[in-house]
Amino acid sequence: MSLLSRRSAKVLLIASGTVALGLYALSKKGSSHLIQNPDSLARRFEKEADPNDQPEYDIVIIGGGTAGCVLASRLSEDPNVRVLLLEAGGSSRHDPDSQIPAAYGRLMHSSKDYDLWTEPQINAENVKKYWPRAKMLGGCSAMNAQMFHAGAPTDYDEWADGGQEGAKGWSYQELRRYFLKFENFAPHARYPSVDVSKRGTGGPVRTGYFGYMSKASSKWIESCVNMGIPLNPDVNTPAGTLGVTKVLTYIDDVGRRVSTETAYLTPEVLRRPNLKVAVDAHVTRIIFDTAGSVKKAVGVEFSHKAGGPQYRVRVKKEVVLAAGAIHSPHILLLSGVGPKEHLAEHGIPVVHDLPGVGQNLQDHAVVNTRLNLKAGHSIHHIRGTSRFDSIKTLGSLARWKLTGGGPLSTNAGEAAAFVRTDDAKLFPPDSYQIKDESSSLTAPDIEVVMVPMGYTEHGFGYTPPGSLVTMGAVLLRPQSRGTIRLKSANPFDAPLIDPKYLDSPNDLAVLVRAVKLLIRIANTEPFASAQKKDDNPLLDHNLHSLSDAELEAEVRKRIETLYHPTSTCRMAELGDGGVVDPYLRVYGLENVRVADASIFPRIPAGHTTAPAIAVGEKASDMIKQSLKESP
């Protein structure tokens, strides 16, 4: 979501330029090791050229996003392994819109966003939905709400139930060591109930409570507790995730965002002679040798820009796709790997018929409501909807620059509660017959989130003046399944994205109940008394008066992405729509793995950054072991 309006963005432009210069001064040493000239690491493709003359790397990683930066850092730890990371975007290391926690929405619809849109959603008023996806190192970890949440433990035990060799390695007990491995938790005096022994403390990713906490969010948590949602000081332990909590964040001690670029691609890592990180390198396809009985990846083709020259590199050991749940299946399809009928539609020669590529798309959908609060509760002024608010935001910018604190250090989603729709304490009887899609009785199927400012249309729509807040109702375990398909054979054409929101009536019923929960929280003290009643139709103080049928219509109208697409290169048995096995190897191919959120067998009931980082860590260990076994 874009937290800063266009007015606020204009006012901040000059000031943030000063911040950018400061950030650049701190990071230019690291950024200077990024390669922008493809001629320095690859050969221009010419039909008459000898393919053996192309530069060779042991590992080529496609995509420098959330998991890709992890892979590049970990796999290049061995100085004898030559690693090339290809990223279509640039760096966000010295970009204030990424580094200032509250400013990330300004990256949406920019050159650092793929600016994607879905197909019209037939169950949501036939409207196309905006899907921001980061186009820069760090991927969506450089452009999200910085909420550290791994999901319910039984979500991962469900992943491990496949019965295949290696599947048990994806259980919560096994995967948790990777959550702990990447984390570097900072205790906070305000949150003494967090058990430090259950947090990771030696990893590269700083987590903690350095972000801003508004009065609105504090009262919202109190209201959740008062209506029967238990306070859970840490929703990232083996004890489970149910309850309401102050969200743990990816924000460091000086109030800056922690992305996987800043955490893993440090200046020291980028100086490794065996690691090359190429930016503005748009991968167009993987090259396969199909002459023998084995279909083997032997190279990668990329271009600096649409219509520009093609470059190729050879791959000795493995190609690792880490381009995310949209672009990893897209690149496989462009490379001739996917449903053969669909490839034939676009004239792409079939390398391997793999029906699951681009199928099983899952996403966390959210329905937002907005309220007006009494002055001093929200930080809506940083949206800059008035001249006075924009001037006030300049003061917040100065505070952030000097101390790393204040409203601009908010992560937006300051507080969250994870609940079950079958909790009789929270949900009075209604007419809905909801199928439980959670992974266990200790796992949630709903999340509700408090954001201490008002917004619509990801921050690009109009909101009325006031001290506004937004409450979001999130569908954590959707039944609906969507697709990623080719628009054309042109690698610079965005793929066709169809999440099929509300394709299942069960999803609609769950979201209606979740909205009812928001209404109950809003009418529970002390949050209820913090409101300034407002009959403006753009606000939701009268939402309680709607019937179930009217709430269903609101859900269809308001549904949006929470930015968590997964499962389009699903880890599952081949006959069950799988694309990769438990070792993340693509079925039917040699030397190709996928390691990002696209491999999730099913979307976890929580935020997806932490499991994506854990996948990068685990995949790195798998690949290292494979290199030892076949040097």
Side-chain angles (χ1 to χ4, degrees):
M1 74 199 78
S2 180
L3 304 184
L4 304 179
S5 71
R6 288 184 175 89
R7 178 195 295 270
S8 184
K10 289 178 181 178
V11 172
L12 287 176
L13 186 60
I14 296 175
S16 63
T18 303
V19 176
L21 288 173
L23 293 173
Y24 181 71
L26 291 173
S27 60
K28 64 181 180 179
K29 193 172 184 180
S31 298
S32 66
H33 290 274
L34 303 179
I35 298 171
Q36 292 181 304
N37 179 12
D39 289 298
S40 66
L41 53 85
R43 293 287 183 272
R44 296 193 184 205
F45 173 64
E46 299 174 355
K47 291 183 178 180
E48 65 274 10
D50 182 357
N52 293 320
D53 188 45
Q54 297 161 359
E56 182 182 70
Y57 299 87
D58 295 303
I59 305 286
V60 175
I61 302 163
I62 300 174
T66 301
C69 289
V70 180
L71 289 156
S73 178
R74 294 302 190 193
L75 292 174
S76 62
E77 288 173 342
D78 183 344
N80 297 312
V81 177
R82 300 163 298 169
V83 178
L84 172 63
L85 174 63
L86 297 171
E87 165 55 39
S91 172
S92 65
R93 190 185 304 270
H94 55 263
D95 190 330
D97 293 337
S98 178
Q99 295 302 296
I100 300 174
Y104 64 91
R106 292 176 62 188
L107 295 166
M108 296 179 181
H109 298 303
S110 78
S111 62
K112 292 186 176 178
D113 174 21
Y114 279 99
D115 203 12
L116 301 175
W117 294 81
T118 71
E119 295 298 286
Q121 295 303 286
I122 60 174
N123 298 301
E125 300 190 337
N126 209 38
V127 171
K128 293 183 177 183
K129 299 293 182 177
Y130 169 51
W131 268 33
R133 305 308 296 163
K135 187 179 181 182
M136 58 187 133
L137 288 168
C140 290
S141 74
M143 196 174 93
N144 64 10
Q146 300 140 107
M147 299 170 75
F148 175 41
H149 180 245
T154 51
D155 294 344
Y156 303 102
D157 293 337
E158 187 179 61
W159 289 12
D161 285 341
Q164 292 177 279
E165 178 189 350
K168 294 299 181 185
W170 293 94
S171 70
Y172 177 71
Q173 182 178 356
E174 291 294 321
L175 205 56
R176 184 168 183 263
R177 63 190 179 97
Y178 290 107
F179 290 128
L180 296 176
K181 180 180 180 180
F182 76 67
E183 184 184 12
N184 182 11
F185 173 72
H188 197 291
R190 190 183 298 172
Y191 305 98
S193 298
V194 177
D195 186 346
V196 178
S197 70
K198 292 186 170 69
R199 304 262 41 88
T201 57
V205 179
R206 191 62 155 167
T207 66
Y209 298 99
F210 297 109
Y212 188 77
M213 181 66 166
S214 65
K215 187 183 294 186
S217 296
S218 296
K219 289 191 175 182
W220 188 84
I221 289 176
E222 288 185 59
S223 292
C224 286
V225 173
N226 289 341
M227 68 173 291
I229 301 175
L231 181 66
N232 188 341
D234 189 352
V235 293
N236 292 294
T237 75
T241 194
L242 293 174
V244 62
T245 193
K246 163 66 180 88
V247 172
L248 188 63
T249 62
Y250 303 101
I251 298 173
D252 68 16
D253 312 48
V254 294
R256 289 175 58 182
R257 170 191 294 274
V258 179
S259 71
T260 56
E261 180 192 11
T262 60
Y264 284 90
L265 296 185
T266 63
E268 292 75 23
V269 170
L270 291 174
R271 282 196 294 268
R272 293 172 183 167
N274 61 315
L275 173 63
K276 306 295 182 185
V277 178
V279 293
D280 302 322
H282 188 110
V283 171
T284 54
R285 67 180 176 120
I286 302 168
I287 303 164
F288 292 93
D289 180 357
T290 59
S293 58
V294 177
K295 303 164 185 175
K296 181 178 180 180
V298 295
V300 174
E301 185 177 273
F302 65 97
S303 182
H304 195 57
K305 60 182 179 180
Q310 296 290 318
Y311 293 84
R312 284 188 179 183
V313 293
R314 290 183 296 144
V315 179
K316 184 176 182 181
K317 297 292 184 181
E318 295 202 26
V319 172
V320 186
L321 265 168
I326 308 304
H327 294 101
S328 283
H330 189 211
I331 291 168
L332 283 175
L333 292 169
L334 291 168
S335 305
V337 179
K340 61 181 180 181
E341 298 84 0
H342 182 52
L343 297 175
E345 291 173 9
H346 296 283
I348 296 176
V350 177
V351 171
H352 184 59
D353 179 22
L354 191 54
V357 174
Q359 306 300 303
N360 295 299
L361 174 62
Q362 300 166 47
D363 184 36
H364 289 147
V366 63
V367 173
N368 289 319
T369 64
R370 287 154 291 278
L371 299 171
N372 193 8
L373 271 57
K374 295 175 182 176
H377 282 80
S378 87
I379 54 171
H380 187 69
H381 71 272
I382 70 170
R383 292 274 294 116
T385 54
S386 71
R387 187 177 299 276
F388 175 76
D389 284 349
S390 296
I391 294 171
K392 192 175 178 181
T393 300
L394 282 175
S396 295
L397 180 64
R399 180 178 172 184
W400 176 83
K401 192 166 185 284
L402 291 171
T403 69
L408 287 180
S409 70
T410 183
N411 72 300
E414 292 180 350
F418 298 89
V419 303
R420 293 178 56 83
T421 50
D422 60 7
D423 189 336
K425 300 191 305 297
L426 304 177
F427 300 97
D430 59 26
S431 61
Y432 294 108
Q433 300 296 316
I434 293 176
K435 182 179 184 297
D436 181 12
E437 290 291 334
S438 65
S439 58
S440 74
L441 294 176
T442 61
D445 58 352
I446 283 176
E447 176 186 6
V448 287
V449 184
M450 161 54 64
V451 179
M453 63 209 80
Y455 64 92
T456 62
E457 299 176 24
H458 306 273
F460 293 89
Y462 172 77
T463 55
S467 182
L468 306 186
V469 298
T470 300
M471 295 190 298
V474 183
L475 173 69
L476 291 177
R477 299 283 286 184
Q479 281 189 353
S480 303
R481 298 290 185 271
T483 59
I484 301 294
R485 294 170 64 81
L486 292 168
K487 180 180 180 180
S488 74
N490 183 345
F492 288 91
D493 281 347
L496 302 177
I497 303 168
D498 188 1
K500 300 186 187 298
Y501 286 137
L502 305 178
D503 193 47
S504 164
N506 202 71
D507 293 350
L508 178 62
V510 170
L511 279 168
V512 169
R513 275 199 189 167
V515 172
K516 289 180 178 180
L517 180 62
L518 294 181
I519 295 170
R520 287 197 64 198
I521 296 171
N523 291 321
T524 301
E525 295 295 348
F527 192 72
S529 295
Q531 294 173 48
K532 182 179 180 181
K533 297 301 182 181
D534 194 328
D535 292 329
N536 189 315
L538 297 177
L539 300 176
D540 294 305
H541 292 274
N542 298 315
L543 205 61
H544 63 277
S545 65
L546 300 187
S547 66
D548 284 356
E550 290 170 324
L551 286 176
E552 287 183 11
E554 289 298 316
V555 168
R556 294 184 188 279
K557 177 181 178 180
R558 301 185 189 204
I559 191 168
E560 297 283 358
T561 180
L562 197 69
Y563 323 116
H564 294 168
T566 72
S567 308
T568 48
C569 295
R570 185 168 173 256
M571 178 174 58
E573 294 190 33
L574 182 60
D576 193 27
V579 174
V580 300
D581 67 14
Y583 298 98
L584 307 185
R585 300 171 300 201
V586 178
Y587 288 117
L589 303 175
E590 190 171 306
N591 291 4
V592 186
R593 297 189 207 230
V594 184
D596 55 33
S598 72
I599 66 93
F600 294 0
R602 185 164 186 186
I603 194 168
H607 295 251
T608 51
T609 297
I613 296 173
V615 165
E617 289 278 11
K618 183 174 174 61
S620 297
D621 279 357
M622 288 178 171
I623 295 168
K624 287 178 179 179
Q625 183 61 37
S626 178
L627 293 176
K628 288 180 182 177
E629 293 172 356
S630 56

